[in-house]
Amino acid sequence: NDVLEFNEVWKTYRMGSEDIQALRGVSLTVNSSSFIAIMGPSGSGKSTLLHLAGILDTPTKGTVLLNGKNIKEYSQDEQANLRRANIGFVFQRFNLMPQLTALENVMLPMISQDSGKAKKLLDKVGLSDKYNRYHTQLSGGEQQRVSIARALANDPSLLLADEPTGELDTENAMIIMELLQELNQNDGLTIVGVTHNPLSAKYADEVITMQDGNIIS
Ligand code: ADP
Ligand code: ADP
């Protein structure tokens, strides 16, 4: 049961008269309930891969399948709906809306607004006493926990995390990785995350290394 499949995916960015090959024929299968960490040097194509996985962009060549569907065959609107219904995003810098409380941030992306469910998600990430805090009243680790709860708002089949521990100290980084591991092991959530931190990567059950637009191991 594959959540995500890349078949010989190429991504070329045009920069003036120059072509930049960000991905050079990447093939990858992400099985349901797996937890994959992507590592590799800056510029090796990690973010590009994550963007394509998140249907934020389409490949120049090759195919990306989400839950068996070739995303190229969908219109922009349909792609946006697929993204909203199936994918949760977690970012390095948390990206919470500053004028909203933790609870309101979790409700924001919900297809059907449900404060009871938002509260349950905040309980799940250990913030049952902080529903009404604003981001300035939360630590970095707590903000990232809100953002994980927000990412779960529509019961995604895939959670994509772009350096989720990049802005956190080691203690908070490990708390966040333990939370992701728990969601993976207890709820069967499929997770693909980019990280530079080998300690964070240890929580994944598979580590993929990229170099020059290829998966090298
Ligand atoms: P990583 O996430 O591993 O640092 P990226 O996927 O961001 O790597 O980048 C891969 C290559 O593609 C790099 O050479 C980068 O400069 C280039 N690149 C990424 N995004 C763009 C873009 N929007 N326009 C042009 N070049 C880009
Ligand atoms: P970082 O904190 O790692 O710099 P960014 O805010 O740059 O994270 O976001 C990474 C990428 O994710 C951006 O290039 C953007 O296109 C995309 N992105 C940001 N916010 C959203 C969102 N709410 N929904 C979908 N994609 C987003």
PDB file of all heavy atoms in Angstrom, residues 182-194:
ATOM      1  N   GLU A 182       5.798   8.525  17.869  1.00  0.00           N
ATOM      2  CA  GLU A 182       4.580   8.003  18.494  1.00  0.00           C
ATOM      3  C   GLU A 182       3.405   8.035  17.508  1.00  0.00           C
ATOM      4  O   GLU A 182       2.639   7.069  17.407  1.00  0.00           O
ATOM      5  CB  GLU A 182       4.264   8.929  19.667  1.00  0.00           C
ATOM      6  CG  GLU A 182       3.645   8.314  20.871  1.00  0.00           C
ATOM      7  CD  GLU A 182       3.548   9.404  21.942  1.00  0.00           C
ATOM      8  OE1 GLU A 182       4.553   9.585  22.665  1.00  0.00           O
ATOM      9  OE2 GLU A 182       2.505  10.081  22.016  1.00  0.00           O
ATOM     10  N   LEU A 183       3.268   9.139  16.770  1.00  0.00           N
ATOM     11  CA  LEU A 183       2.187   9.252  15.786  1.00  0.00           C
ATOM     12  C   LEU A 183       2.352   8.198  14.706  1.00  0.00           C
ATOM     13  O   LEU A 183       1.383   7.624  14.214  1.00  0.00           O
ATOM     14  CB  LEU A 183       2.189  10.656  15.157  1.00  0.00           C
ATOM     15  CG  LEU A 183       1.794  11.798  16.088  1.00  0.00           C
ATOM     16  CD1 LEU A 183       2.143  13.150  15.462  1.00  0.00           C
ATOM     17  CD2 LEU A 183       0.298  11.737  16.414  1.00  0.00           C
ATOM     18  N   ASN A 184       3.608   7.939  14.344  1.00  0.00           N
ATOM     19  CA  ASN A 184       3.894   6.917  13.336  1.00  0.00           C
ATOM     20  C   ASN A 184       3.565   5.527  13.870  1.00  0.00           C
ATOM     21  O   ASN A 184       2.863   4.747  13.230  1.00  0.00           O
ATOM     22  CB  ASN A 184       5.360   7.026  12.915  1.00  0.00           C
ATOM     23  CG  ASN A 184       5.803   5.867  12.054  1.00  0.00           C
ATOM     24  OD1 ASN A 184       6.538   4.994  12.502  1.00  0.00           O
ATOM     25  ND2 ASN A 184       5.327   5.834  10.819  1.00  0.00           N
ATOM     26  N   GLN A 185       4.057   5.216  15.073  1.00  0.00           N
ATOM     27  CA  GLN A 185       3.913   3.850  15.586  1.00  0.00           C
ATOM     28  C   GLN A 185       2.517   3.558  16.123  1.00  0.00           C
ATOM     29  O   GLN A 185       1.995   2.463  15.941  1.00  0.00           O
ATOM     30  CB  GLN A 185       4.968   3.587  16.669  1.00  0.00           C
ATOM     31  CG  GLN A 185       6.372   3.556  16.065  1.00  0.00           C
ATOM     32  CD  GLN A 185       7.468   3.309  17.091  1.00  0.00           C
ATOM     33  OE1 GLN A 185       7.214   3.289  18.295  1.00  0.00           O
ATOM     34  NE2 GLN A 185       8.693   3.138  16.609  1.00  0.00           N
ATOM     35  N   ASN A 186       1.893   4.532  16.787  1.00  0.00           N
ATOM     36  CA  ASN A 186       0.582   4.277  17.393  1.00  0.00           C
ATOM     37  C   ASN A 186      -0.577   4.499  16.425  1.00  0.00           C
ATOM     38  O   ASN A 186      -1.562   3.778  16.451  1.00  0.00           O
ATOM     39  CB  ASN A 186       0.358   5.157  18.631  1.00  0.00           C
ATOM     40  CG  ASN A 186       1.378   4.859  19.707  1.00  0.00           C
ATOM     41  OD1 ASN A 186       2.105   3.868  19.629  1.00  0.00           O
ATOM     42  ND2 ASN A 186       1.456   5.725  20.696  1.00  0.00           N
ATOM     43  N   ASP A 187      -0.462   5.530  15.572  1.00  0.00           N
ATOM     44  CA  ASP A 187      -1.575   5.867  14.683  1.00  0.00           C
ATOM     45  C   ASP A 187      -1.305   5.463  13.235  1.00  0.00           C
ATOM     46  O   ASP A 187      -2.145   5.678  12.364  1.00  0.00           O
ATOM     47  CB  ASP A 187      -1.866   7.379  14.738  1.00  0.00           C
ATOM     48  CG  ASP A 187      -2.182   7.851  16.155  1.00  0.00           C
ATOM     49  OD1 ASP A 187      -2.461   6.983  17.005  1.00  0.00           O
ATOM     50  OD2 ASP A 187      -2.137   9.066  16.400  1.00  0.00           O
ATOM     51  N   GLY A 188      -0.112   4.948  12.964  1.00  0.00           N
ATOM     52  CA  GLY A 188       0.206   4.526  11.598  1.00  0.00           C
ATOM     53  C   GLY A 188       0.364   5.685  10.629  1.00  0.00           C
ATOM     54  O   GLY A 188       0.210   5.515   9.416  1.00  0.00           O
ATOM     55  N   LEU A 189       0.658   6.878  11.165  1.00  0.00           N
ATOM     56  CA  LEU A 189       0.834   8.043  10.296  1.00  0.00           C
ATOM     57  C   LEU A 189       2.099   7.883   9.442  1.00  0.00           C
ATOM     58  O   LEU A 189       3.162   7.535   9.958  1.00  0.00           O
ATOM     59  CB  LEU A 189       0.955   9.309  11.164  1.00  0.00           C
ATOM     60  CG  LEU A 189       1.118  10.628  10.426  1.00  0.00           C
ATOM     61  CD1 LEU A 189      -0.136  10.980   9.628  1.00  0.00           C
ATOM     62  CD2 LEU A 189       1.441  11.757  11.418  1.00  0.00           C
ATOM     63  N   THR A 190       1.973   8.128   8.152  1.00  0.00           N
ATOM     64  CA  THR A 190       3.113   8.075   7.239  1.00  0.00           C
ATOM     65  C   THR A 190       3.832   9.420   7.282  1.00  0.00           C
ATOM     66  O   THR A 190       3.197  10.462   7.135  1.00  0.00           O
ATOM     67  CB  THR A 190       2.631   7.797   5.802  1.00  0.00           C
ATOM     68  OG1 THR A 190       1.754   6.677   5.827  1.00  0.00           O
ATOM     69  CG2 THR A 190       3.798   7.526   4.869  1.00  0.00           C
ATOM     70  N   ILE A 191       5.148   9.388   7.518  1.00  0.00           N
ATOM     71  CA  ILE A 191       5.903  10.640   7.697  1.00  0.00           C
ATOM     72  C   ILE A 191       7.128  10.655   6.792  1.00  0.00           C
ATOM     73  O   ILE A 191       7.881   9.679   6.730  1.00  0.00           O
ATOM     74  CB  ILE A 191       6.367  10.794   9.167  1.00  0.00           C
ATOM     75  CG1 ILE A 191       5.163  10.742  10.132  1.00  0.00           C
ATOM     76  CG2 ILE A 191       7.165  12.089   9.351  1.00  0.00           C
ATOM     77  CD1 ILE A 191       5.541  10.761  11.611  1.00  0.00           C
ATOM     78  N   VAL A 192       7.329  11.767   6.092  1.00  0.00           N
ATOM     79  CA  VAL A 192       8.561  12.001   5.352  1.00  0.00           C
ATOM     80  C   VAL A 192       9.107  13.339   5.834  1.00  0.00           C
ATOM     81  O   VAL A 192       8.414  14.361   5.768  1.00  0.00           O
ATOM     82  CB  VAL A 192       8.333  12.049   3.818  1.00  0.00           C
ATOM     83  CG1 VAL A 192       9.636  12.354   3.090  1.00  0.00           C
ATOM     84  CG2 VAL A 192       7.743  10.726   3.318  1.00  0.00           C
ATOM     85  N   GLY A 193      10.326  13.321   6.360  1.00  0.00           N
ATOM     86  CA  GLY A 193      10.895  14.548   6.904  1.00  0.00           C
ATOM     87  C   GLY A 193      12.312  14.782   6.408  1.00  0.00           C
ATOM     88  O   GLY A 193      13.077  13.843   6.232  1.00  0.00           O
ATOM     89  N   VAL A 194      12.617  16.057   6.177  1.00  0.00           N
ATOM     90  CA  VAL A 194      13.987  16.446   5.847  1.00  0.00           C
ATOM     91  C   VAL A 194      14.661  16.882   7.140  1.00  0.00           C
ATOM     92  O   VAL A 194      14.055  17.598   7.945  1.00  0.00           O
ATOM     93  CB  VAL A 194      13.996  17.616   4.841  1.00  0.00           C
ATOM     94  CG1 VAL A 194      15.382  18.243   4.741  1.00  0.00           C
ATOM     95  CG2 VAL A 194      13.523  17.147   3.472  1.00  0.00           C
TER      96      VAL A 194
END
